[in-house]
Amino acid sequence: MKYVSTRGQAPALEFEDVVLTGLASDGGLYVPQSIPEFSKEEIASWAGLSYQELALKIMSPFVAGSIPEADLKDLIDRSYATFRHDAIVPLVQTGHNEWIMELFQGPTLAFKDIALQFLGNLLDYVLKKRDQKVVIMGATSGDTGSAAIEGCRHCDNVDIFILHPYQRVSEVQRRQMTTVIENNVHNIAMKGNFDDCQNLVKTSFADQSFLPEGRQLAAVNSINWARIMAQIVYYFYCGLALGAPSRPVSFSVPTGNFGDIFAGYIAKRMGLPVDQLVIATNSNDILHRCISDNDHSKKALEHTLSPSMDIMVSSNFERMLFELHGRDGAKVAQLMEDFKSGEMTLGEAELAEARKLFSSYRLDDDAMVDVIRDVYEKTEYLLDPHTAIGVEAARKTRRSKDVPMICLATAHPAKFPEAVKKAGQTEDPALPHHMADLFEREEKYEVLDHDAEAVRSFVAGNCRA
């Protein structure tokens, strides 16, 4: 399997090179040269497979020619051995044909563990094979950072630097990152917002001359295709559990950087009968505005109670633009130039296709808190703020109650006690026992100004020999 850039000018690469490269040399994101497709009969034959067995079926075509099946199986098995639930992504029913897909059963209580436990093991595998060392530089709006650190903390050939927006993540999210005291782990609290952090990381990939000799940057953000690939699996797993492929299924996805819902789109392309994909956004609603009003303009970023979605530049939307425009890299490159100036407009045909593929909905903090309260009062099931937005978006946009609606629960509610308390809970939701002492652990992190040179100097000066 070869991979091509969404902007059409970078060379096609093999899977392992894509894992280590991150952004393409032309500034684009890598996608498979072709999307594997499975027949209805083949998908039906997977009913009853364990999550790990299914992951091997789904991922194998994407790594063909790069990783032997036995090695891929070992990577998958080791990656999901750290999860608390045997189903990896269990389903909980909260209404008629309404289901919650619990993606927070991993070590850091967020959906990012699904991909980043795998990516950490994958990086270790590739780097040891090549006798190579890399520097991971990533930006997080809350959950990617802790999941990336947990996945890479034991990697001998990786130094990891995670930027988070200073005082704009929850205390639990921050402490999950900053209490990992390993000599290859570095946390930077950068003054600014998530988009500032993400932009600094992107520009650092474009010019890596600040790194020590012999090092290159590797990406753990969802620009890395391996993360998208790992996320495709749970759409199939939960779809199969609820009757696919003999019946369609729908998904509502709390959406910030567009990687998670893009994985759902790829699952649909691969043969999963997906009826609806719902883009659920908070007040930072650029994706909802794009789908509903063809308004993909940048606005001031708001700080909300669902901080992992406080994003105005959704990196993976570029992958979707590539598909909407018939894989025309030159067209995508022009659209991204337009967006740099603050605004981007889809053509009529592309907008119509996007509306066929996606529904969308926006929810502000007050309405989100009401959803947490309402669902808890009726079911005694406690939602985190991001998941609550997904549940309400599903209810407001749902086309058919005959089709199972699966709402992706992207984080454990204990990560967001402020929102939970506003919904009427008198006590903070309890952290799982493996994290019960989180607030007593030593923290280590660096607070830096929004200054590219200062950040890059810190990175260069803290790489291990």
Side-chain angles (χ1 to χ4, degrees), residues 141 165-170 173 192-194 301-303 307 310:
S141 57
Y166 181 53
Q167 295 183 336
R168 291 196 174 194
V169 299
S170 77
Q173 287 178 311
N193 59 41
F194 169 74
L301 198 70
E302 293 185 33
H303 181 36
D310 288 349

Side-chain angles (χ1 to χ4, degrees), residues 17-282:
D17 294 314
V18 165
V19 170
L20 296 180
T21 299
L23 278 177
S25 58
D26 60 2
L29 280 68
Y30 277 106
V31 293
Q33 204 162 42
S34 60
I35 306 298
E37 294 182 23
F38 300 114
S39 68
K40 185 175 179 179
E41 292 72 25
E42 189 170 7
I43 295 170
S45 74
W46 298 339
L49 291 183
S50 70
Y51 190 89
Q52 294 88 330
E53 291 167 337
L54 181 63
L56 184 62
K57 299 281 189 185
I58 301 294
M59 292 188 195
S60 288
F62 292 109
V63 306
S66 292
I67 300 177
E69 184 173 298
D71 289 354
L72 179 61
K73 181 182 184 301
D74 179 61
L75 288 171
I76 290 167
D77 289 345
R78 285 192 285 118
S79 298
Y80 299 113
T82 60
F83 281 63
R84 299 186 305 281
H85 200 294
D86 284 347
I88 311 301
V89 291
L91 287 165
V92 175
Q93 189 166 10
T94 51
H96 172 67
N97 242 352
E98 177 185 276
W99 304 81
I100 303 294
M101 183 201 299
E102 292 189 340
L103 296 172
F104 52 74
Q105 298 290 340
T108 74
L109 315 183
F111 83 102
K112 308 291 176 76
D113 287 324
I114 305 281
L116 284 166
Q117 284 293 299
F118 174 75
L119 181 56
N121 284 312
L122 176 64
L123 280 171
D124 220 23
Y125 171 85
V126 173
L127 292 170
K128 283 178 179 175
K129 186 162 74 170
R130 297 184 174 203
D131 192 23
Q132 184 178 348
K133 292 186 176 182
V134 298
V135 175
I136 286 175
M137 193 172 174
T140 186
S141 57
D143 290 331
T144 293
S146 56
I149 288 167
E150 190 62 36
C152 298
R153 63 189 294 181
H154 300 304
C155 295
D156 294 331
N157 295 342
V158 171
D159 289 304
I160 182 167
F161 298 81
I162 296 295
L163 283 69
H164 71 266
Y166 181 53
Q167 295 183 336
R168 291 196 174 194
V169 299
S170 77
E171 186 175 6
V172 172
Q173 287 178 311
R174 187 192 77 240
R175 285 178 173 274
Q176 283 184 298
M177 296 184 284
T178 60
T179 58
V180 179
I181 312 297
E182 304 279 359
N183 63 2
N184 69 325
V185 173
H186 303 276
N187 284 282
I188 300 169
M190 196 180 86
K191 294 178 181 178
N193 59 41
F194 169 74
D195 286 342
D196 295 327
C197 296
Q198 181 169 252
N199 187 57
L200 195 153
V201 169
K202 283 184 176 180
T203 56
S204 298
F205 271 87
D207 179 4
Q208 302 185 22
S209 59
F210 67 94
L211 291 174
E213 187 176 352
R215 300 293 179 90
Q216 72 175 70
L217 289 180
V220 290
N221 283 48
S222 52
I223 60 172
N224 193 314
W225 172 258
R227 276 190 54 181
I228 305 293
M229 178 184 78
Q231 289 171 303
I232 296 167
V233 178
Y234 49 69
Y235 286 92
F236 275 93
Y237 185 76
C238 290
L240 282 161
L242 294 178
S246 59
R247 71 188 301 200
V249 287
S250 293
F251 298 90
S252 180
V253 188
T255 306
N257 230 358
F258 207 81
D260 205 1
I261 197 162
F262 187 74
Y265 163 78
I266 295 294
K268 181 183 176 83
R269 287 277 305 273
M270 293 174 76
L272 186 68
V274 177
D275 182 50
Q276 263 185 286
L277 284 169
V278 181
I279 297 169
T281 75
N282 64 15

